[in-house]
Amino acid sequence: MSCDPYALALDGVLKLTPYQPGKPVSELERELGLTTVVKLASNENPLGPSPLALAAMQKTLSGIGEYPDGNGFALKSALGERYGLDTDQITLGNGSNDVLELLARAFLKPGLKAVFSEHAFAVYPLATIATGAECKPVSALPADADMPMGHDLDAMAAAITDDVRLVFVANPNNPTGTWVEKEPLRRFLEKVPSHCIAVLDEAYTEYVEDGRFESPKALLQDFPNLIVTRTFSKAWGLAGLRVGYGLSSPAIADLLNRVRQPFNVNSVALAAAEAALADNDHLLQSRTVNEAGLVQWKAACDKLGLAYLPSLGNFLAINVQQDGQALFDVLLRKGVITRTVGVYGMPEWLRVSIGTAEQNDFAIKALQEALTTH
Ligand SMILES: Cc1ncc(COP(=O)(O)O)c(C=O)c1O
């Protein structure tokens, strides 16, 4: 008997191209026999997690024979306290990626659509297409706008027709680093009709100074069709554990709860995330390291004559004025892993994550050499 699974697969699945993750350090070491490798490719926190999170993980290991708390009571309680929300407003995910997928599963199907900006996070189209729904990408602001290549919120609001069920706004956005300020965001949310869920993806918000953006609580009070997604993968330094969450009305959380896996967040991740929340000093230190690193990278780009986008994230999109893939390959051979962003419609750009001062220094030297010899 022969079987052609491709002939059996759903249309949406056939249209998908798998997400390309940043290249792991071990892979590059293996391939090129390099001993010093700096990975600035996946917007991770170079400091890693809080020691409190590490201790909590260790403590959990002896109980690993048991299933996790499927409702994540302790972590939800800690998050609820932090944000002044009830636990029934919180959806935990295997990374915030999981929450984005749950949203697509709960609200999209063939014939419906999702709106997002050009150059927005790659998972929005992946999650949309997998359901058989259609993507409605909206042109970004032009390169000479006040927020170059950022979200054009007016155009995004105008794109929300009757068949649009989800609109994604990443703030700050990956891979551009661009952002939307409080008032324009509010004006946009006021325009999102009640038949459409607004997804405010705040994966990098902990890198943004306090008070610059509105709290989830203030926004949720006014916008019942809003969900704010956040993650422990970035500033909290727990990318490897996969834990994120959504903050929304109890009704949206209830719907997501119906489609999630019963134990979608593992017990080590639950304990680590809860412990991490208690270490605000580590978070502030991570933010300080990031701010210094952004200054270091911007100064280096200025010196090298390379333009870059404004960024409030832990990464910088740099216009390398040549084929980004070719420069990426040269940097790889020098032991530096960056990220190409051709799939985001930015073939002449590279995205670099902000590392420690030493990592940045190593990568900047490699970039300088690559530009002079390449
Ligand atoms: C804008 C944005 N949203 C969501 C995510 C998903 O992160 P995670 O699934 O690790 O929470 C990322 C990861 O890079 C991101 O850049």
Side-chain angles (χ1 to χ4, degrees):
M1 187 187 83
S2 71
C3 170
D4 178 9
Y6 292 97
L8 307 176
L10 302 178
D11 281 352
V13 176
L14 288 173
K15 283 187 198 143
L16 291 174
T17 312
Y19 179 81
Q20 289 292 330
K23 197 176 184 67
V25 170
S26 55
E27 192 177 299
L28 185 62
E29 286 173 344
R30 218 169 39 239
E31 283 174 3
L32 297 183
L34 295 171
T35 45
T36 309
V37 170
V38 166
K39 180 186 176 212
L40 300 179
S42 302
N43 302 344
E44 295 143 338
N45 181 344
L47 303 184
S50 152
L52 298 186
L54 288 170
M57 288 183 226
Q58 283 291 344
K59 236 173 111 187
T60 318
L61 294 181
S62 59
I64 212 73
E66 293 168 18
Y67 280 102
D69 172 1
N71 287 318
F73 175 79
L75 177 55
K76 280 191 191 172
S77 302
L79 287 168
E81 202 167 308
R82 187 177 178 92
Y83 298 118
L85 296 171
D86 294 332
T87 50
D88 65 358
Q89 294 183 270
I90 303 173
T91 305
L92 299 180
N94 192 245
S96 58
N97 201 136
D98 191 23
V99 182
L100 300 174
E101 300 267 353
L102 296 176
L103 282 160
R105 207 164 149 207
F107 295 104
L108 295 178
K109 66 173 184 179
L112 297 177
K113 295 184 177 136
V115 164
F116 44 82
S117 178
E118 184 192 7
H119 317 305
F121 183 45
V123 164
Y124 310 152
L126 285 178
T128 301
I129 294 167
T131 66
E134 260 177 67
C135 300
K136 228 178 158 182
V138 173
S139 295
L141 293 169
D144 59 357
D146 283 350
M147 186 55 72
M149 299 167 74
H151 288 17
D152 183 342
L153 292 183
D154 289 338
M156 289 174 71
I160 306 174
T161 41
D162 287 349
D163 51 0
V164 172
R165 288 290 173 280
L166 295 179
V167 57
F168 294 95
V169 172
N171 203 28
N173 180 50
N174 169 27
T176 56
T178 51
W179 64 94
V180 287
E181 300 284 3
K182 272 185 202 174
E183 288 75 20
L185 179 64
R186 238 179 205 272
R187 283 200 297 276
F188 168 78
L189 291 172
E190 275 157 15
K191 286 192 244 169
V192 178
S194 59
H195 70 262
C196 179
I197 306 287
V199 185
L200 180 61
D201 179 343
E202 295 192 331
Y204 299 94
T205 201
E206 289 86 358
Y207 285 113
V208 180
E209 77 250 30
D210 295 333
R212 182 162 192 153
F213 292 164
E214 277 198 71
S215 71
K217 185 181 168 108
L219 290 174
L220 289 172
Q221 265 162 2
D222 292 335
F223 303 105
N225 58 341
L226 174 70
I227 178 162
V228 179
T229 59
R230 292 190 172 191
T231 183
F232 285 92
S233 299
K234 308 298 177 185
W236 297 105
L238 291 168
L241 283 181
R242 315 302 303 123
V243 52
Y245 53 97
L247 307 171
S248 66
S249 65
I252 293 179
D254 170 44
L255 290 163
L256 300 185
N257 195 37
R258 296 178 192 205
V259 287
R260 77 176 173 87
Q261 272 185 53
F263 303 103
N264 60 336
V265 184
N266 70 72
S267 36
V268 181
L270 287 172
E274 184 193 348
L277 286 175
D279 195 349
N280 221 47
D281 287 349
H282 184 76
L283 188 71
L284 294 178
Q285 196 196 346
S286 303
R287 196 188 284 177
T288 305
V289 167
N290 187 56
E291 279 161 8
L294 273 170
V295 170
Q296 193 181 354
W297 269 102
K298 287 183 195 171
C301 289
D302 290 341
K303 216 166 136 195
L304 293 169
L306 299 176
Y308 47 84
L309 294 177
S311 173
L312 282 188
N314 63 340
F315 53 91
L316 200 61
I318 303 174
N319 186 342
V320 293
Q321 301 156 14
Q322 57 178 295
D323 177 25
Q325 181 66 51
L327 186 60
F328 169 88
D329 289 337
V330 175
L331 289 171
L332 270 193
R333 290 195 289 279
K334 294 179 183 295
V336 176
I337 312 176
T338 59
R339 192 67 164 265
T340 56
V341 279
V343 290
Y344 290 95
M346 298 165 67
E348 298 202 333
W349 297 71
L350 282 182
R351 190 195 70 194
V352 290
S353 306
I354 305 304
T356 60
E358 297 72 35
Q359 289 173 327
N360 297 333
D361 211 32
F362 183 86
I364 287 166
K365 284 205 181 91
L367 178 61
Q368 196 170 1
E369 280 172 22
L371 290 173
T372 45
T373 57
H374 178 51

